[in-house]
Amino acid sequence: MTSGRRRTGKSVLAAGGIVLQPGETPKIAVVRLRKRSEWVLPKGKLDAGETARDAAIREVLEETGHAVAVHEFLGTLAYHSGSAIKVVHFWRMIAEAVPTRKLMKDVTAVDWLSLDAALERLSREHERAFLAEVGPQALQAVLGGSIAAELPGLDDAASADLAPTPRPTLWRRLRELLRGR
């Protein structure tokens, strides 16, 4: 165990959110990390004794400055991080309109973007693949209906069939990424 963070063998457990600001066109939070100037989804490691859901709430507040309401679980993303595998659980979250605290020192900015813009902004391919898979489901939940007209190639039948967890295509792509393909 390192500095109060939970580490299991060669896995690092983390949690975060697909954080939305509702509106006619809902916006998704992406944060810029100070260390490498990378744009990522808000997430972080679990503290000792902390549940994944509680860690997700804490990390999102620290990285975006916004308190959130937590909704459904969206899935898990696993990827290499140094010599370990990082396993991150994500929930759909709705941010309060006004930030309630300053950003943590490791984060230099938070941007609220459309799904397409967030996909373009994210620095890490595995996060882009994950958001491309679960983002439409998160948006559909916020919009409360079909988003088929707004997403190319997605008809009403397909949008109604959005699964609560990543589909096999995402897992196949993640395995490829982990194997270095």
Side-chain angles (χ1 to χ4, degrees):
M1 206 170 289
T2 310
S3 53
R5 304 288 188 183
R6 183 189 300 183
R7 197 174 177 121
T8 313
K10 293 205 177 236
S11 293
V12 176
L13 302 178
I18 304 302
V19 185
L20 300 156
Q21 281 187 334
E24 188 174 319
T25 303
K27 304 293 184 191
I28 297 172
V30 294
V31 298
R32 187 172 188 175
L33 301 178
R34 181 176 307 282
K35 191 173 184 179
R36 292 185 208 95
S37 291
E38 291 179 307
W39 287 96
V40 299
L41 296 170
K43 65 189 170 307
K45 298 173 191 166
L46 277 65
D47 283 335
E50 189 175 37
T51 68
R53 188 175 185 279
D54 288 343
I57 294 166
R58 176 183 51 77
E59 288 289 344
V60 165
L61 176 61
E62 290 174 356
E63 293 190 359
T64 69
H66 290 261
V68 293
V70 179
H71 295 278
E72 73 275 5
F73 177 75
L74 292 173
T76 301
L77 176 60
Y79 57 94
H80 285 287
S81 179
S83 62
I85 299 286
K86 193 168 196 175
V87 178
V88 189
H89 301 294
F90 284 94
W91 282 262
R92 179 175 64 90
M93 299 178 171
I94 302 298
E96 291 187 1
V98 179
T100 57
R101 63 167 280 169
K102 291 182 179 180
L103 302 178
M104 66 185 298
K105 69 177 183 173
D106 295 342
V107 174
T108 60
V110 60
D111 276 356
W112 297 92
L113 306 169
S114 68
L115 176 58
D116 287 342
L119 289 169
E120 287 181 27
R121 178 75 57 90
L122 288 171
S123 300
R124 299 173 181 173
E125 185 178 346
H126 57 270
E127 288 192 5
R128 281 193 303 274
F130 182 76
L131 183 59
E133 195 71 22
V134 302
Q137 174 191 343
L139 289 176
Q140 183 178 21
V142 169
L143 294 170
S146 174
I147 56 170
E150 298 179 32
L151 298 173
L154 191 67
D155 59 17
D156 284 333
S159 66
D161 191 35
L162 293 172
T165 57
R167 295 185 291 267
T169 55
L170 176 61
W171 292 115
R172 184 172 33 256
R173 183 65 189 126
L174 288 173
R175 281 195 299 274
E176 290 170 359
L177 286 170
L178 290 171
R179 291 182 182 138
R181 292 187 194 168

